[in-house]
Amino acid sequence: MLSIAIYSENENLTNELKSYIQDFLIREKVMAKVSYFNDTETFITVPSSYDFYLIDLDSEKNNLLEVGKQMMSIDAGSHFAFLSSDKETACLAAKARVDYYMLKPLD
């Protein structure tokens, strides 16, 4: 079973992602455990047991690119996707060697 961790401080985005992910999993007939996080301290103490991490980098409180890099070093065998509304962050994410990068708003 696939395991997915989603981090976003934006409740509207979290709800949108839940909808996209549920639709995808049903359509593709994929069994997955999906966990949602909106608190950095809880997120970084998550045991490194997820196959895929999706991290919304837009935050007024935290440097989530650094959090993402930290998670990538802890759970090197996993895949990571970052999303942001800032195009400049895409360059920084590329330097961090993230697997996927998406710009918001999602279509």
Side-chain angles (χ1 to χ4, degrees):
M1 179 184 314
L2 183 66
S3 59
I4 303 169
I6 311 280
Y7 180 91
S8 178
E9 295 173 5
N10 181 314
E11 186 177 345
N12 291 332
L13 178 63
T14 299
N15 291 332
E16 187 178 353
L17 291 171
K18 281 181 184 179
S19 177
Y20 284 143
I21 290 168
Q22 287 173 344
D23 289 347
F24 172 80
L25 294 174
I26 290 168
R27 184 179 63 249
E28 299 299 322
K29 299 178 178 139
V30 175
M31 296 285 293
K33 174 188 165 218
V34 183
S35 301
Y36 297 90
F37 302 90
N38 63 4
D39 175 83
T40 308
E41 280 110 41
T42 305
F43 184 62
I44 62 175
T45 59
V46 167
S48 54
S49 60
Y50 290 95
D51 300 306
F52 185 81
Y53 291 85
L54 176 60
I55 302 171
D56 177 16
L57 298 178
D58 294 340
S59 172
E60 294 179 13
K61 299 183 272 184
N62 301 294
N63 182 341
L64 292 173
L65 183 58
E66 289 305 315
V67 170
K69 288 180 189 177
Q70 180 182 357
M71 297 300 291
M72 289 171 64
S73 68
I74 292 170
D75 205 355
S78 296
H79 295 280
F80 287 81
F82 292 167
L83 57 101
S84 175
S85 57
D86 180 23
K87 291 181 181 180
E88 289 181 30
T89 306
C91 294
L92 297 173
K95 289 180 184 178
R97 304 205 186 280
V98 67
D99 296 308
Y100 309 98
Y101 183 85
M102 296 174 277
L103 281 174
K104 295 188 293 187
L106 301 173
D107 292 328

